[in-house]
């Protein structure tokens, strides 16, 4: 992508993501209770959650959830770990990332990839962690010491 076609460096607008879950009550306990996401609107088939200012919507699809519910998940090797595909999450400030890691650990969440720093000393150095919701949807939360490294291809001076 050329610089002219890159996304503008304006204030980032909230994203919206809808994803399947096999049980709304389990989604409500996990996203609302464990992760601390405020609940928005809901109906018999879906629930809106505020995920660090972004709108995620858990949609009931009985018998189906994320990759962990319908068969083996696909993984790609990244920095010595098997990263689940697909996955979603948010890039957080480090204090928020540390607080979330502590909250998830205290709640007994099993990490697919435990909280750690990857690409140390390289472009894109980041704190990262992976885990699954009760429907098997993979989530990644990360934090960069310098957000300018988010799309970096080489170490900046």
């Amino acid at each position: 992508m050329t610089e002219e076609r890159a996304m503008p460096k304006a204030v980032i607008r909230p994203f919206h993501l809808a994803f399947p879950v096999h049980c709304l009550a389990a989604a409500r306990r996990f996203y609302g209770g464990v992760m601390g996401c405020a609940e928005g609107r809901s109906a018999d088939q879906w629930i809106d959650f505020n995920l660090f200012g972004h709108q995620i919507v858990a949609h009931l699809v009985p018998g189906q959830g994320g990759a962990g519910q319908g068969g083996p998940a696909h993984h790609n090797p990244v920095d010595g770990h098997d990263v689940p595909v697909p996955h979603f999450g948010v890039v957080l400030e480090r204090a928020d990332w540390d607080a979330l890691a502590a909250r998830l650990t205290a709640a007994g969440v099993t990490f697919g990839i435990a909280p750690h720093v990857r690409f140390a000393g390289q472009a894109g150095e980041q704190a990262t962690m992976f885990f699954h919701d009760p429907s098997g949807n993979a989530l990644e939360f990360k934090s960069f010491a310098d957000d300018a490294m988010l799309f970096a291809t080489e170490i900046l001076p």
Side-chain angles (χ1 to χ4, degrees), residues 8-71:
K9 293 183 182 181
V11 173
I12 294 177
R13 302 284 304 147
F15 70 77
H16 163 84
L17 175 70
F19 57 96
V21 298
H22 71 279
C23 175
L24 288 178
R28 183 172 272 127
R29 284 190 303 274
F30 182 77
Y31 289 98
V34 173
M35 291 194 57
C37 297
E39 187 174 320
R41 295 166 296 162
S42 65
D44 292 342
Q45 301 293 313
W46 54 269
I47 306 169
D48 282 348
F49 293 101
N50 177 343
L51 181 68
F52 295 95
H54 302 284
Q55 182 192 44
I56 61 171
V57 186
H59 281 270
L60 181 62
V61 182
Q64 183 181 8
Q69 294 297 312

